[in-house]
Amino acid sequence: MANMAKNNTHFQVLILCSLGGLLEFFDFMIFALFSNELAQIFFPNQNKINALFATFSTFAIGYLARPMGGIIFGHFGDKYGRKRTFTTSILIMAMSTFLIGFVPSYQSIGIAAPILLIFLRLLQGLSIGGEIPGAITYISEYLPQKKGLAVGMIFCFLLSGISLGLLMQVGLHVFYTQETIIDWAWRLPFFIGGVFGCMAYFLRKKLLETPNFSPFMLQETRFPFIAIFKTQKRTFIFTVLLMSCSGMPLTILFIFLPTYLSSILEKTNLYSAPSMMNAISIVLASLSCLLVGWISDKMNRFYVLAIFAAASLLLPIPIYMIYIDNTQLFPLAILMSSLLVGLALGNSPVILSELFNTNIRYSGIGLAYNIGIGIVGGLTPLLLLSAISTFNSVLIPAYTLMINALVLLVVTFFYHFYQKKQK
C-alpha cells in the first residue's frame, strides 16, 4: 500500500509538471502558428515576405530572451528552490499571453502596436526560459531512477501544447472567415491560453520541493551561472551545441512547416488537411518522446543520440520530396518527422540533467537549453527564408537538417574524447 501511495504521488507530480508545460508551450507557440495573421495586423505596410520577416523577427525575440530567463530563474532555482521558481514562470507566461490578446492593431495605434507586441513577447521568452529547464531539473531530481521516462513525459506534454495550438488554428478557420480572424478572432487563442495558464499556476503551487535540492553556497562567487564557466565550461559548450542540434527538427519540421507549405510551396488547404495532419504528427512526436525517454533509461543515452544523428542524415530528403511532389504521402512524411523529433527531444534534455552538478543544475540547464534552443528556434525560420530566397531551392530545410546531424556527430565525438582524456 505504501508503494502504491508513493507511485500515485509520483504520478501526480509528473502530471502537474507536464500539464503546466503543455499550457505554457501552447501559449508560446500560438504566436508562430498565427504568424500570417499577425503579419497583416501588426506589419501591414509591407509586402508579404517582408511582413513575414517582421513577424518571425518578433517571434525570434521571444526565443532570444530565453537565455536571460534561464539566468534569472536558474539563479533563484539554484539558490532558493526549484518548485517556487518554475511555478512563478508559468504565471508570467499566462499574464503576458492574455495581454497579447488585448493589443490593438497597427491601424488603431500605429507603431505602438508592434512595440507592445514585442514587449509582451519578451516576457513570454523570459518565462519559458525558466519553465522548461525548471521542469527538467525538478522532475529529474524528484524521479532519479526513471528520469528518462519522466523527462520524456514532460516533452510529450510540451509538444502536445503545439497540437492544441494547431487544433485551435484549424478551429478558427472552420468557424470564422479569414476577414473575421484578422478583425478580432485571432485574439481568442491568447485569451484561452492565458486563462488556462493561470489555472495551471494554482495547481502547480501544490508541489513540494525536490528532496535532493542542494542550495548554491559557494563563497567565491554569488551567482550560480558564473560558477558554470568556472567549473564546467566544456560541459556547458557541449550541452549548448547538443540542444542546438536537438531543437532543429522541431523548428524546421513542425514550427516552420505551415509557413513553408503556404508561403513557399503555395499549397492549398493549409488550414484543413495539412494542419490537421500536422497536429496529428505532433501527437505522434509527443508519444515518440515518451518512448525514447523510456528507452534511454535502459541503454546508453549517447547511443540513442547516435541513432538520432543517423536518422537525421537519411530521412530529410524523402520528407521534403513528399511535401514538394507527393502530398498524397503526407502521412508518411509526418511519421518520419515525428520519429526525428522524438529521438531528439526524448533523450537530449535528460543528458543535460546528468552532466551538470546539483547546485548549479537549474542554471546550467537553463543556459544551455535556452541558448541552444533559442538560437535554433528563434533564428532558423529567418535563416531558412533567407536561404530559400537566395539559393532558390525548396530543399534548403532538408539540407539544413543533414548538416545539423553532421555537426552533432562531430561535437559528440570530441566531447567523448575530452571525457576519456580526463579519466
Side-chain angles (χ1 to χ4, degrees):
M1 292 294 291
N3 286 336
M4 183 178 296
K6 185 177 181 180
N7 289 337
N8 287 338
T9 301
H10 288 170
F11 180 75
Q12 290 170 3
V13 168
L14 186 54
I15 291 297
L16 284 175
C17 290
S18 302
L19 184 61
L22 178 150
L23 294 170
E24 186 149 358
F25 224 58
F26 168 82
D27 290 354
F28 193 70
M29 285 300 162
I30 51 178
F31 193 100
L33 296 174
F34 287 89
S35 59
N36 287 314
E37 288 79 10
L38 293 175
Q40 298 177 58
I41 295 164
F42 293 99
F43 307 98
N45 296 328
Q46 305 179 52
N47 64 46
K48 184 177 180 180
I49 294 298
N50 286 342
L52 277 175
F53 267 110
T55 303
F56 273 117
S57 295
T58 306
F59 175 70
I61 286 170
Y63 268 92
L64 297 177
R66 288 170 61 165
M68 183 55 66
I71 291 174
I72 295 170
F73 286 98
H75 173 82
F76 289 103
D78 282 330
K79 295 199 74 169
Y80 305 111
R82 319 313 199 182
K83 175 253 179 178
R84 184 188 305 173
T85 305
F86 93 107
T87 297
T88 302
S89 69
I90 198 170
L91 180 63
I92 297 173
M93 172 62 82
M95 296 306 297
S96 56
T97 301
F98 191 76
L99 290 174
I100 286 176
F102 284 104
V103 177
S105 67
Y106 185 92
Q107 290 182 343
S108 299
I109 60 172
I111 193 65
I115 290 174
L116 284 171
L117 185 69
I118 289 169
F119 172 72
L120 293 171
R121 183 64 180 170
L122 277 170
L123 289 181
Q124 282 191 320
L126 290 172
S127 168
I128 205 166
E131 161 65 25
I132 299 176
I136 295 170
T137 304
Y138 184 91
I139 207 65
S140 63
E141 291 179 353
Y142 200 90
L143 297 171
Q145 302 303 317
K146 297 180 179 179
K147 65 175 68 175
L149 178 61
V151 174
M153 174 73 83
I154 294 289
F155 278 83
C156 175
F157 274 69
L158 285 174
L159 295 183
S160 296
I162 302 177
S163 288
L164 286 180
L166 286 164
L167 292 175
M168 178 68 70
Q169 182 187 51
V170 172
L172 286 186
H173 283 86
V174 168
F175 291 105
Y176 300 105
T177 64
Q178 183 68 8
E179 292 74 19
T180 303
I181 291 173
I182 292 175
D183 185 33
W184 63 269
W186 68 271
R187 302 178 187 276
L188 292 177
F190 293 94
F191 290 148
I192 292 170
V195 169
F196 280 107
C198 288
M199 292 171 62
Y201 164 75
F202 288 107
L203 288 173
R204 189 177 278 182
K205 287 181 69 176
K206 298 178 181 179
L207 294 174
L208 300 175
E209 186 55 79
T210 58
N212 296 324
F213 168 62
S214 176
F216 180 82
M217 301 291 289
L218 295 180
Q219 297 300 315
E220 58 268 26
T221 178
R222 297 172 58 188
F223 300 101
F225 80 91
I226 294 177
I228 296 169
F229 300 102
K230 290 184 175 181
T231 62
Q232 292 192 270
K233 181 171 63 176
R234 287 185 174 85
T235 294
F236 172 71
I237 293 171
F238 169 70
T239 51
V240 167
L241 294 171
L242 171 64
M243 292 316 304
S244 296
C245 295
S246 299
M248 189 78 78
L250 176 64
T251 303
I252 294 179
L253 295 170
F254 293 114
I255 296 173
F256 184 67
L257 184 62
T259 298
Y260 179 79
L261 290 174
S262 62
S263 299
I264 305 301
L265 298 184
E266 297 184 347
K267 298 290 184 180
T268 59
N269 301 321
L270 171 65
Y271 298 112
S272 55
S275 281
M276 286 298 293
M277 293 299 289
N278 204 11
I280 294 170
S281 68
I282 290 286
V283 172
L284 293 175
S286 304
L287 297 175
S288 180
C289 285
L290 195 60
L291 176 62
V292 171
W294 177 75
I295 291 172
S296 74
D297 281 332
K298 301 182 178 299
M299 64 183 293
N300 190 304
R301 302 194 204 279
F302 283 92
Y303 292 164
V304 180
L305 207 58
I307 295 171
F308 162 56
S312 295
L313 287 170
L314 296 174
L315 298 182
I317 293 294
I319 289 172
Y320 279 89
M321 290 306 298
I322 289 173
Y323 291 151
I324 295 165
D325 294 322
N326 298 285
T327 51
Q328 68 273 17
L329 296 177
F330 202 96
L332 178 60
I334 64 170
L335 280 173
M336 292 188 286
S337 300
S338 301
L339 174 63
L340 285 179
V341 171
L343 285 169
L345 297 180
N347 179 57
S348 297
V350 194
I351 296 176
L352 266 64
S353 72
E354 294 179 333
L355 294 181
F356 286 106
N357 298 331
T358 304
N359 66 334
I360 57 171
R361 183 170 292 144
Y362 199 145
S363 296
I365 295 175
L367 268 178
Y369 182 92
N370 286 306
I371 290 175
I373 297 291
I375 292 171
V376 172
L379 298 181
T380 295
L382 287 171
L383 295 175
L384 288 176
L385 283 171
S386 299
I388 292 169
S389 176
T390 301
F391 297 104
N392 196 29
S393 171
V394 292
L395 281 174
I396 289 294
Y399 298 147
T400 304
L401 286 169
M402 295 169 72
I403 294 170
N404 180 68
L406 293 174
V407 171
L408 177 62
L409 287 172
V410 171
V411 167
T412 303
F413 171 80
F414 278 106
Y415 183 73
H416 261 295
F417 177 78
Y418 162 73
Q419 291 288 79
K420 287 184 178 179
K421 190 176 179 180
Q422 291 297 106
K423 295 179 181 178

